[in-house]
């Protein structure tokens, strides 16, 4: 495209920059919101929270601090998930080795821990009270770890697997 004056070229460049900024601000999702992207039409997640309910960021910090306090061994895998999303992982564990799974749920309600195959570990309830739940994992074959929130549970689950 050619412009008849330098002013027109500058104006066109500014218009492109302003359009990009506006487009970005309308499509950026808030990481603290629920699933999917938020739009400028929906209320901010903080507007629906009560002042006493901790933010997802704060709950994540609390859960990670609790895990850091019990960390032993060599870290194999770790993560933080929303309770509503749960944890569903098949970590790369070496056969005939023992591992420790540490879980912390911060929020309200509880979650259920299960292993596939069931003999890899012990099923347990994980309360969302920031207490650490530890399980030994016997990796004799491929292990799948599933943690699903109970109905109505909210918050985050932080987890880590350490080689012993």
């Amino acid at each position: 495209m050619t412009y008849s004056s330098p002013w027109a070229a500058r104006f066109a460049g500014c218009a492109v920059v302003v359009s990009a900024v506006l487009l970005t601000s309308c499509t950026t999702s808030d990481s603290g919101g629920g699933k999917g992207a938020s739009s400028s039409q929906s209320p901010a997640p903080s507007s629906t929270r009560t002042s006493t309910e901790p933010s997802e960021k704060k709950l994540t910090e609390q859960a990670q601090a609790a895990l850091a306090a019990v960390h032993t061994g060599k870290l194999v895998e770790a993560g933080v998930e929303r309770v509503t999303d749960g944890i569903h992982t098949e970590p790369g564990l070496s056969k005939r080795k023992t591992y420790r799974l540490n879980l912390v749920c911060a929020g309200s309600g509880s979650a259920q821990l299960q292993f596939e195959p069931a003999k890899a570990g012990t099923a347990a309830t994980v309360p969302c009270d920031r207490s650490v739940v530890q399980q030994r994992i016997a990796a004799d074959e491929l292990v799948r770890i599933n943690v699903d929130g109970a109905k109505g549970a909210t918050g985050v689950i932080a987890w880590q697997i350490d080689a012993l």
Side-chain angles (χ1 to χ4, degrees):
M1 183 178 274
T2 59
Y3 298 100
S4 59
S5 71
W7 179 84
R10 281 189 214 128
F11 178 75
C14 289
V16 169
V17 170
V18 169
S19 297
V21 169
L22 290 174
L23 181 60
T24 302
S25 68
C26 291
T27 59
T28 302
S29 66
D30 183 285
S31 63
K35 295 178 185 173
S38 64
S39 70
S40 59
Q41 301 291 322
S42 63
S46 61
S47 66
T48 59
R49 283 196 181 104
T50 63
S51 60
T52 59
E53 185 178 343
S55 69
E56 188 174 289
K57 181 180 177 184
K58 181 83 170 166
L59 292 172
T60 299
E61 290 169 357
Q62 292 170 349
Q64 288 176 326
L67 283 180
V70 298
H71 177 70
T72 59
K74 182 180 176 186
L75 179 65
V76 174
E77 192 172 326
V80 177
E81 306 294 338
R82 289 184 182 103
V83 174
T84 54
D85 295 338
I87 300 168
H88 306 284
T89 185
E90 292 178 355
L93 305 179
S94 299
K95 289 186 177 188
R96 295 183 201 90
K97 290 203 174 194
T98 304
Y99 299 87
R100 177 175 291 129
L101 170 65
N102 296 307
L103 296 160
V104 175
C105 184
S108 63
S110 64
Q112 293 298 315
L113 165 66
Q114 295 181 329
F115 294 92
E116 292 177 25
K119 67 181 181 177
T122 305
T125 298
V126 181
C128 292
D129 62 0
R130 295 184 303 257
S131 60
V132 179
V133 173
Q134 296 182 326
Q135 290 286 324
R136 292 179 76 83
I137 302 172
D140 293 330
E141 56 189 289
L142 180 67
V143 174
R144 181 166 177 82
I145 300 168
N146 294 307
V147 182
D148 293 302
K151 186 174 182 175
T154 62
V156 299
I157 303 171
W159 58 279
Q160 70 185 31
I161 299 171
D162 295 328
L164 299 179

